[in-house]
Amino acid sequence: MSETKYTDAERPIWVPYWPNTLGRLWQAVIAIVAVVAIAIYRGRLEVQGSDNGHTIGSIALLALMACVWIGINDNVIRWGIPVRFVRRVEDHALGSGVCIPPRTAKLWLITVASILVSGMGVALSKSDVFGAAGMPIAGIAIVVLVATLGFRSSVELRLFADGFVRRRRSCMFFFPRTHDILVRWGDVEQNEASTYRTSEKRGSGFTEPVLYVRATGLGIERPRDRLDQPDRMAIRIHLLAAEPNAVLASMKWCTDGPVNRIRMTGYDSPDLLVPPPLRERLELSRS
C-alpha cells in the first residue's frame, strides 16, 4: 500500500466509536513473561536430569497458546496492531472499489494450536503423572482441527461509488457457498456502532464490535446472519482485516455525499482506511 496522498479534509474523520486500549495487552505480556519463566525453570530441571521438565514444558507451551488466543479475541492484536490488507477491486457491474477482506489470523491460530496441542497430548501420554489424559487431549485437538477446516465462514466488505456489498462465505467441507447483499448509498438511513457478545450466556464470550446499517429496500427474505433484521443489516467488523473505527468512519463518509464515494474508486483509495498512528488513537480514545 502506498503512502496516503489525501489531506485531513479529504479523508474520513477517525472517531473512537470503539475506544482503543492496551489494558489487555499488558495482561497478556505479564502472562507471557510468566510462561517464559516456567520454560526457563523447565530447562533447569532438564539440565539437572529431572523427569518433570518435559511435562512442565508442555504445560508452558499450552499456556502460551492460551495467552495468544485471548489476545486475538479480546481486541489486543486487532486494535493494538492493525492489519492492513485493504486492496482495490474491480467488479464487472459496480466498477472500481475497495475490498476489505476477512481476517484469517484466528483460522491459522486454531490450526497451528490444534497441531501443537495434539503433539503435546502425545508427549503427555508418556508422562507418569499426566499419561492418562495425554491421548484424550490429542484426540480433542484433532477433532477441533477437522471442525475448523471443514466448517468455516468469513465476511468481506466491498465499497464502491454506488454502494457497498457485504459478502458472506461459508464452507462445509468441499461445498462452499457465497451470499452477497448490495446496499446503495442513497438507501442508507443510519450507520450505528454497537457491540455484541459472542456467547448467548450472560457474562461469557467476548465483546465484539458490530456495525448496524439501517437502509430501505434491503429485501432480506431470511437473515443471512443471526444479527440481521428486515430493515437492519449487521456487519461484524471484528471479522474484517482492518481497524474497526476506520471502517465505520469510511462508511459514514461515503454516506455523506457522492463526492466522497467517487474517491473510493481512486488508485490510492485503500489509504482512506488506514487509521491514525497508535499513539494518536490511544490519546483520542482517552479524551
Side-chain angles (χ1 to χ4, degrees):
M1 186 179 298
S2 62
E3 294 294 332
T4 178
K5 298 180 180 179
Y6 296 103
T7 63
D8 293 340
E10 297 175 328
R11 60 181 300 113
I13 300 176
W14 191 91
V15 178
Y17 301 101
W18 300 284
N20 283 211
T21 176
L22 293 181
R24 293 293 186 181
L25 178 60
W26 292 117
Q27 295 179 19
V29 169
I30 294 174
I32 291 175
V33 170
V35 171
V36 172
I38 294 175
I40 294 175
Y41 179 66
R42 170 225 177 175
R44 292 185 59 184
L45 290 178
E46 288 188 345
V47 171
Q48 297 173 3
S50 175
D51 295 334
N52 294 327
H54 187 78
T55 301
I56 294 177
S58 301
I59 296 176
L61 291 176
L62 184 61
L64 178 61
M65 296 305 299
C67 293
V68 176
W69 170 259
I70 293 174
I72 287 183
N73 278 276
D74 211 13
N75 307 331
V76 172
I77 294 179
R78 180 174 61 251
W79 291 358
I81 309 174
V83 184
R84 301 177 181 179
F85 290 136
V86 181
R87 66 182 187 274
R88 294 185 71 250
V89 66
E90 295 289 339
D91 186 89
H92 67 280
L94 298 173
S96 301
V98 175
C99 175
I100 308 174
R103 289 176 51 86
T104 58
K106 184 181 296 185
L107 175 63
W108 285 107
L109 174 63
I110 296 176
T111 302
V112 173
S114 300
I115 296 174
L116 290 178
V117 172
S118 62
M120 294 175 192
V122 175
L124 289 175
S125 64
K126 302 178 182 179
S127 172
D128 296 335
V129 180
F130 300 97
M135 294 311 296
I137 291 176
I140 294 174
I142 293 175
V143 171
V144 172
L145 177 62
V146 173
T148 300
L149 298 179
F151 302 91
R152 61 184 186 273
S153 62
S154 61
V155 176
E156 181 178 291
L157 185 64
R158 298 188 172 193
L159 309 179
F160 300 95
D162 293 336
F164 70 90
V165 176
R166 187 193 71 179
R167 171 168 294 180
R168 290 186 59 85
R169 291 191 179 97
S170 60
C171 179
M172 185 175 295
F173 286 101
F174 299 102
F175 301 96
R177 294 184 300 175
T178 301
H179 299 288
D180 289 351
I181 298 181
L182 170 64
V183 178
R184 305 287 181 180
W185 293 118
D187 296 333
V188 176
E189 299 176 350
Q190 183 183 16
N191 293 297
E192 177 185 351
S194 184
T195 59
Y196 80 102
R197 297 195 70 84
T198 56
S199 177
E200 297 292 341
K201 298 179 181 179
R202 179 177 298 179
S204 62
F206 296 95
T207 301
E208 302 287 6
V210 60
L211 167 62
Y212 290 112
V213 180
R214 295 186 180 274
T216 58
L218 280 177
I220 304 177
E221 298 180 358
R222 55 188 178 88
R224 305 296 187 187
D225 188 284
R226 66 182 179 87
L227 301 179
D228 283 347
Q229 295 180 4
D231 62 339
R232 188 175 72 167
M233 174 192 297
I235 301 177
R236 304 193 188 199
I237 292 188
H238 70 281
L239 298 178
L240 299 175
E243 204 277 331
N245 294 295
V247 177
L248 179 54
S250 299
M251 295 285 289
K252 290 178 174 290
W253 193 64
C254 290
T255 307
D256 290 341
V259 177
N260 299 339
R261 306 165 194 169
I262 296 176
R263 295 188 182 276
M264 284 296 171
T265 64
Y267 177 78
D268 293 333
S269 54
D271 293 330
L272 295 172
L273 284 101
V274 175
L278 177 59
R279 178 178 298 181
E280 182 178 346
R281 283 184 282 141
L282 292 175
E283 293 177 354
L284 292 173
S285 298
R286 289 191 295 264
S287 60

